[in-house]
Amino acid sequence: MTKIIGLTGGIGSGKTTVARMFMAHGIPVYIADEEAKKLMESDVIIKKVEKAFGKEILTNQKIDRAKLASIVFNKAEKLEELNKIIHPAVQKHFKNWLKNHNTVPFVIKEAAILFETGGHKQCDKVITVVAPQLLRIERVILRDKSDKNSVLDRINNQWTDEKKVLLSDFVIENIDLEKTTTQVSDILKVLNKI
């Protein structure tokens, strides 16, 4: 049976970079955030989000992600409401994806809020990617062209690294790419034995 290895980390930790390193080794990787973005373009999800957040959340009949972010990252209950719409759809999509990868020993499921949603309970092992907060903020500002306060809002809506590390089987400190690559290779050696 194919094992599920969870891969998580706070915003800007570099978990997608790490996911791509696993892909480079031929490991199938499911990137939950990318799939969630695609699912948010489906009519079913658009209707549910519109019902929950109102017509003003739409621009040209599509979900305006910036408007939605400004609402959910300032109010925990609104974020929870959005997660209740998106996460079941992502879970269903992942289960279907997994059926197409049932001949490999393990797959990686990359998800930003793996612990927050309880997704880690469906994983055989969990890898958490960490980096110093200032570096994470810097990376996100560069990547998303956002400001420090909006990055901090998103950080504050996620579990702390310390809390994630306690529940993780492996921890990758992603500061230096060369060292990160070595850590990925070391973890792969262990995973190939499970």
Side-chain angles (χ1 to χ4, degrees), residues 25 37 97 99 121 146 149:
H25 285 276
K37 281 176 191 165
W97 178 87
K99 286 176 193 168
K121 293 171 187 161
S146 54
N149 286 337

Side-chain angles (χ1 to χ4, degrees), residues 1-192:
M1 183 146 156
T2 303
K3 297 217 179 328
I4 300 168
I5 311 301
L7 173 64
T8 193
I11 186 169
S13 61
K15 66 193 163 302
T16 306
T17 300
V18 170
R20 296 203 191 325
M21 289 177 182
F22 282 106
M23 282 180 195
H25 285 276
I27 309 300
V29 177
Y30 182 90
I31 299 183
D33 288 354
E34 284 179 11
E35 297 307 332
K37 281 176 191 165
K38 290 178 200 167
L39 288 167
M40 283 177 80
E41 291 173 13
S42 74
D43 290 340
V44 176
I45 299 291
I46 290 171
K47 281 187 177 75
K48 285 182 180 179
V49 171
E50 182 188 356
K51 188 178 176 191
F53 296 93
K55 273 198 188 312
E56 60 278 3
I57 210 73
L58 302 181
T59 302
N60 300 323
Q61 303 306 307
K62 297 281 180 210
I63 295 168
D64 188 317
R65 296 173 55 77
K67 284 181 189 172
L68 189 58
S70 71
I71 294 169
V72 301
F73 291 117
N74 291 316
K75 290 197 174 99
E77 69 277 5
K78 291 291 183 188
L79 181 61
E80 196 176 317
E81 203 174 331
L82 178 65
N83 286 341
K84 281 181 183 166
I85 297 168
I86 304 299
H87 289 289
V90 173
Q91 267 307 106
K92 188 177 174 186
H93 188 269
F94 173 70
K95 280 181 182 161
N96 288 330
W97 178 87
L98 193 58
K99 286 176 193 168
N100 297 321
H101 295 89
N102 60 3
T103 58
V104 295
F106 63 90
V107 298
I108 304 277
K109 181 184 183 185
E110 188 259 26
I113 52 174
L114 188 74
F115 288 115
E116 292 87 335
T117 60
H120 65 291
K121 293 171 187 161
Q122 283 96 46
C123 298
D124 296 282
K125 300 279 180 197
V126 175
I127 303 164
T128 294
V129 182
V130 299
Q133 186 165 301
L134 282 175
L135 179 58
R136 289 169 56 195
I137 292 167
E138 206 174 280
R139 286 172 177 166
V140 179
I141 289 171
L142 277 171
R143 183 189 74 195
D144 298 349
K145 310 283 180 263
S146 54
D147 62 281
K148 186 179 178 180
N149 286 337
S150 64
V151 178
L152 282 168
D153 282 343
R154 289 163 78 182
I155 285 173
N156 293 331
N157 275 301
Q158 296 179 341
W159 281 21
T160 62
D161 283 350
E162 293 75 18
K163 197 171 175 182
K164 290 176 189 165
V165 165
L166 288 173
L167 296 172
S168 301
D169 300 283
F170 306 96
V171 177
I172 293 176
E173 192 174 37
N174 183 29
I175 299 168
D176 172 89
L177 270 184
E178 204 174 304
K179 286 180 182 166
T180 301
T181 306
T182 303
Q183 292 173 82
V184 167
S185 298
D186 291 345
I187 291 170
L188 271 173
K189 285 173 195 161
V190 177
L191 292 178
N192 283 319

